[in-house]
Amino acid sequence: MPAVLGFEGSANKIGVGVVCDGKVLANPRRTYVTPPGTGFLPGDTARHHRAVILDLLQEALTEAGLTSQDIDCIAYTKGPGMGAPLASVAVVARTVAQLWNKPLLGVNHCIGHIEMGRLITGATSPTVLYVSGGNTQVIAYSEHRYRIFGETIDIAVGNCLDRFARVLRISNDPSPGYNIEQMAKRGKKLIELPYTVKGMDVSFSGILSFIEDVAQRMLSTGECTPEDLCFSLQETVFAMLVEITERAMAHCGSQEALIVGGVGCNMRLQEMMETMCQERGARLFATDERFCIDNGAMIAQAGWEMFQAGHRTPLSDSGITQRYRTDEVEVTWRD
Ligand code: MG
């Protein structure tokens, strides 16, 4: 019964988690929050992660009630993500693996989300909607690969929300998406925004440009409120996501949908997905912010599956990569 320690730091969250045979023993996390109107830059984010990662490691071990001797493998995020944060975390993972004399595993971040979602919800073979600040994909498993059925052709849906929040100077604490969700509840007017679905793919950059330009003018003339814009943006981009997820489910004959990634804890998105699933007699699976927002346990869990299947990452191959597609990994741990 191996215990796997996982390091995650591909964007503005840094997390260290411990997973042992399907149980999350610890999963502490810190978020790098920047002032309203600003985003997080790679260098600053990496500096934040370096400042707290050893405290988090200690916290994770204490919470799990384990010592270094009880850990069987060190997993870390190999990519995709921002270069500087990824590299900072990989250095620590490599160092810890050598100090403790443990095998190392480089994990695909997207697969971490999927495996965590499967573990927590018990979904067996779902069509996955992966939505976050850096990724937007509809994924289904087939023949030892997580295959991408549809995706964004420009920015991620979470990036669209984050940048919209910057335009309106909405707070980044605890996250821009959370604050947009709360404001959207008070929105009354649906503003028509560009709705861009191209086959199985989606595009969000035009919506953002539209908001930056037209919507700001509407705000200044009093034609709509910031709350109306939050509401309209959510309704529009979530409808696009539901549409491509449903099409993938119809294609695969799937009776399960799973939402993963940071945007996945948005209750309005879950509600819209639930409606779609009910209409086709399917089940929706989703998790809360502990597990759908980037965290260390998801890397530990994917690492646990890989470790059991015999994967190991040699030190000479223990680098990082900003681009690492979900379908590049051979999923040897599933039938
Ligand atoms: Mg993520």
Side-chain angles (χ1 to χ4, degrees), residues 256-321:
E256 292 181 341
L258 169 66
I259 316 177
V260 300
V263 181
C265 56
N266 185 298
M267 295 309 288
R268 179 57 186 148
L269 173 61
Q270 290 190 18
E271 190 178 42
M272 289 169 73
M273 285 281 286
E274 179 73 60
T275 305
M276 178 272 283
C277 284
Q278 271 176 11
E279 280 173 4
R280 43 185 310 113
R283 262 191 87 184
L284 176 69
F285 296 90
T287 62
D288 64 30
E289 52 85 27
R290 290 171 298 166
F291 304 114
C292 71
I293 294 177
D294 292 349
N295 62 87
M298 68 185 228
I299 301 305
Q301 172 60 16
W304 185 91
E305 295 279 12
M306 293 170 74
F307 183 76
Q308 291 290 67
H311 291 241
R312 303 291 183 269
T313 301
L315 212 51
S316 58
D317 190 32
S318 63
I320 56 114
T321 170

Side-chain angles (χ1 to χ4, degrees), residues 10-328:
S10 60
N12 70 331
K13 287 95 187 170
I14 170 83
V16 183
V18 183
V19 166
C20 181
D21 298 341
K23 284 194 190 67
V24 178
L25 301 182
N27 199 17
R29 171 177 67 202
R30 301 272 190 286
T31 303
Y32 175 52
V33 176
T34 58
T38 65
F40 50 93
L41 297 169
D44 301 334
T45 309
R47 204 168 299 122
H48 168 268
H49 292 0
R50 287 197 297 268
V52 300
I53 191 166
L54 294 181
D55 288 342
L56 276 175
L57 172 60
Q58 187 57 60
E59 206 176 312
L61 286 174
T62 306
E63 199 181 314
L66 300 178
T67 68
S68 59
Q69 280 135 44
D70 305 315
I71 302 294
D72 298 285
C73 176
I74 307 294
Y76 74 98
T77 306
K78 181 184 171 74
M82 292 173 119
L86 281 171
S88 291
V89 175
V91 165
V92 175
R94 260 196 311 269
T95 307
V96 168
Q98 288 177 92
L99 280 172
W100 296 354
N101 197 24
K102 309 288 179 187
L104 194 61
L105 266 179
V107 171
N108 178 297
H109 178 88
C110 316
I111 290 185
H113 275 295
I114 298 170
E115 294 307 338
M116 196 66 195
R118 290 178 64 226
L119 172 72
I120 298 295
T121 65
T124 49
S125 195
T127 298
V128 180
L129 175 63
Y130 172 28
V131 276
S132 67
N135 296 280
T136 301
Q137 293 180 336
V138 175
I139 302 156
Y141 174 82
S142 167
E143 307 270 325
H144 300 290
R145 299 271 167 182
Y146 284 115
R147 299 182 194 270
I148 302 164
F149 277 73
E151 62 190 316
T152 179
I153 56 171
D154 41 54
I155 59 173
V157 63
N159 189 246
C160 180
L161 294 169
D162 291 352
R163 287 162 70 177
F164 164 80
R166 257 178 259 167
V167 173
L168 269 67
R169 303 228 146 219
I170 293 170
S171 167
N172 291 323
D173 187 13
S175 72
Y178 177 83
N179 294 322
I180 291 171
E181 182 180 357
Q182 305 318 310
M183 286 173 72
K185 290 175 186 165
R186 301 189 298 273
K188 292 192 175 67
K189 193 162 144 189
L190 186 71
I191 313 294
E192 196 179 324
L193 300 173
Y195 182 98
T196 322
V197 174
K198 297 168 187 285
M200 287 301 290
D201 294 330
V202 284
S203 158
F204 298 106
S205 62
I207 301 175
L208 188 65
S209 307
F210 181 88
I211 293 210
E212 281 168 349
D213 177 25
V214 181
Q216 272 203 313
R217 219 172 309 137
M218 290 176 77
L219 279 178
S220 61
T221 59
E223 275 174 85
C224 70
T225 65
E227 284 78 7
D228 292 336
L229 280 181
C230 291
F231 168 68
S232 307
L233 179 62
Q234 280 200 167
E235 295 302 304
T236 306
V237 298
F238 293 168
M240 290 162 54
L241 296 171
V242 171
E243 179 184 333
I244 61 167
T245 308
E246 179 169 30
R247 198 173 296 130
M249 290 173 77
H251 178 82
C252 299
S254 174
Q255 290 300 103
E256 292 181 341
L258 169 66
I259 316 177
V260 300
V263 181
C265 56
N266 185 298
M267 295 309 288
R268 179 57 186 148
L269 173 61
Q270 290 190 18
E271 190 178 42
M272 289 169 73
M273 285 281 286
E274 179 73 60
T275 305
M276 178 272 283
C277 284
Q278 271 176 11
E279 280 173 4
R280 43 185 310 113
R283 262 191 87 184
L284 176 69
F285 296 90
T287 62
D288 64 30
E289 52 85 27
R290 290 171 298 166
F291 304 114
C292 71
I293 294 177
D294 292 349
N295 62 87
M298 68 185 228
I299 301 305
Q301 172 60 16
W304 185 91
E305 295 279 12
M306 293 170 74
F307 183 76
Q308 291 290 67
H311 291 241
R312 303 291 183 269
T313 301
L315 212 51
S316 58
D317 190 32
S318 63
I320 56 114
T321 170
Q322 294 185 359
R323 304 199 183 279
Y324 190 12
R325 282 175 70 77
T326 314
D327 55 11
E328 278 179 50

